[in-house]
Amino acid sequence: MRDISCTEITDCVRDMFIKANTVLPEDVAECIDCSAKCEKNARAKEILGLLSDNARIAAETGIPICQDTGMAFVFVKLGQEVHITGGSLREAVNEGVRRAYGEGYLRKSVADPLTRVNTGDNTPAIIYFDVVEGDAFEITALPKGFGSENMSALKMFTPSATRQDIIDFIVGVVKNAGSNPCPPIVLGIGIGGDFEYCALLAKKALCRNVSSHNSVPFYAEFESELLEKINDLDIGPQGFGGKTTALAVNIETYPTHIAGLPVAVNVGCHVTRHASAVIE
């Protein structure tokens, strides 16, 4: 059994959300730079260069990469041999978010869904707990803007759906979104599970390295096929045309019921931010 204090957790969450909002993940930044070199459309190439400059300036100055500093999503991988001391784990995470958005001068964007009254501190966070063997404790912070989140979609297919049906749905989501999610985008796609779990898979997929592929060759090939078809849409960076509509398509899957085939598409903008830390 290993003890981890709520204070450690709060400090870790605070630091991660400030970092995630000011420092673009290295893999995403490199992908934008690489896309700029490969892009043949002059306007698209220029915009990609500006996006790179923006990310660099944000990291150097500690100013948020985007004015939408997001709703706080937190993934906690909790070893079953870990003992949390000094309070509530959930409240420790929320306190970390509260401090990050206050001390980091990040925009507070969380409000009641109907009255629209702002909570004032960007809490509550949306927290997912995954209990694993051993005494590991890992946290991933994902500040998610809603310009891209609003473009996301879920469809409950039946097993009679063809591969082309699924391609048409996913590509259609991107086509209908157009410039709204601030492309070039990262697509997280969840296939399988049930209504809510496929959406969670799609959200988790956004935390994956954009240069990685699904470990199953069948799905890795599907990722590449979808990326090619999406980039053929000619939406381009910020919607001004070009071959760089998406930086990556990340698919995560889970077994589903014999009568079901749920598919979720979670859209991430060119500022697909996340940060992870392990509390030793």
Side-chain angles (χ1 to χ4, degrees), residues 24 26-39 45 48-53 55-56 184 244 247:
L24 194 63
E26 186 175 347
D27 59 299
V28 178
E30 288 179 354
C31 193
I32 293 174
D33 289 342
C34 182
S35 297
K37 293 174 184 176
C38 300
E39 181 62 65
K45 183 185 287 287
L48 289 168
L50 292 172
L51 297 182
S52 292
D53 289 344
R56 175 182 52 79
T244 317
L247 299 174

Side-chain angles (χ1 to χ4, degrees), residues 208 213-225 249 251:
R208 224 177 71 196
H213 293 284
N214 191 288
S215 59
V216 178
F218 175 85
Y219 288 108
E221 291 172 9
F222 199 18
E223 289 173 338
S224 297
E225 180 181 358
V249 175
I251 296 175

Side-chain angles (χ1 to χ4, degrees), residues 109-280:
S109 305
V110 175
D112 181 272
L114 294 184
T115 67
R116 312 310 294 178
V117 175
N118 198 294
T119 64
D121 58 11
N122 224 60
T123 68
I126 295 179
I127 310 169
Y128 298 102
F129 296 102
D130 184 15
V131 180
V132 298
E133 293 181 1
D135 63 358
F137 192 94
E138 182 178 350
I139 307 177
T140 297
L142 174 68
K144 185 71 165 62
F146 265 57
S148 57
E149 188 75 2
N150 285 339
M151 298 297 105
S152 303
L154 184 153
K155 186 166 183 177
M156 301 299 290
F157 287 98
T158 63
S160 63
T162 65
R163 179 188 180 95
Q164 191 59 49
D165 290 334
I166 296 172
I167 290 172
D168 289 345
F169 167 62
I170 295 169
V171 174
V173 169
V174 178
K175 184 176 181 179
N176 290 335
S179 64
N180 288 315
C182 293
I185 59 174
V186 176
L187 276 192
I189 297 174
I191 303 177
D194 64 348
F195 178 80
E196 78 274 6
Y197 198 69
C198 73
L200 176 56
L201 289 171
K203 184 76 70 186
K204 283 184 173 181
L206 288 180
C207 297
R208 224 177 71 196
N209 191 300
V210 295
S211 63
S212 68
H213 293 284
N214 191 288
S215 59
V216 178
F218 175 85
Y219 288 108
E221 291 172 9
F222 199 18
E223 289 173 338
S224 297
E225 180 181 358
L226 284 165
L227 181 60
E228 182 177 353
K229 290 182 180 299
I230 288 166
N231 282 332
D232 283 341
L233 291 173
D234 196 39
I235 294 170
Q238 302 300 295
F240 288 105
K243 296 291 289 183
T244 317
T245 297
L247 299 174
V249 175
N250 293 344
I251 296 175
E252 294 296 325
T253 68
Y254 197 83
T256 190
H257 190 277
I258 55 172
L261 178 51
V263 178
V265 181
N266 198 197
V267 182
C269 65
H270 70 276
V271 185
T272 296
R273 301 155 289 187
H274 48 84
S276 296
V278 175
I279 296 181
E280 301 291 353

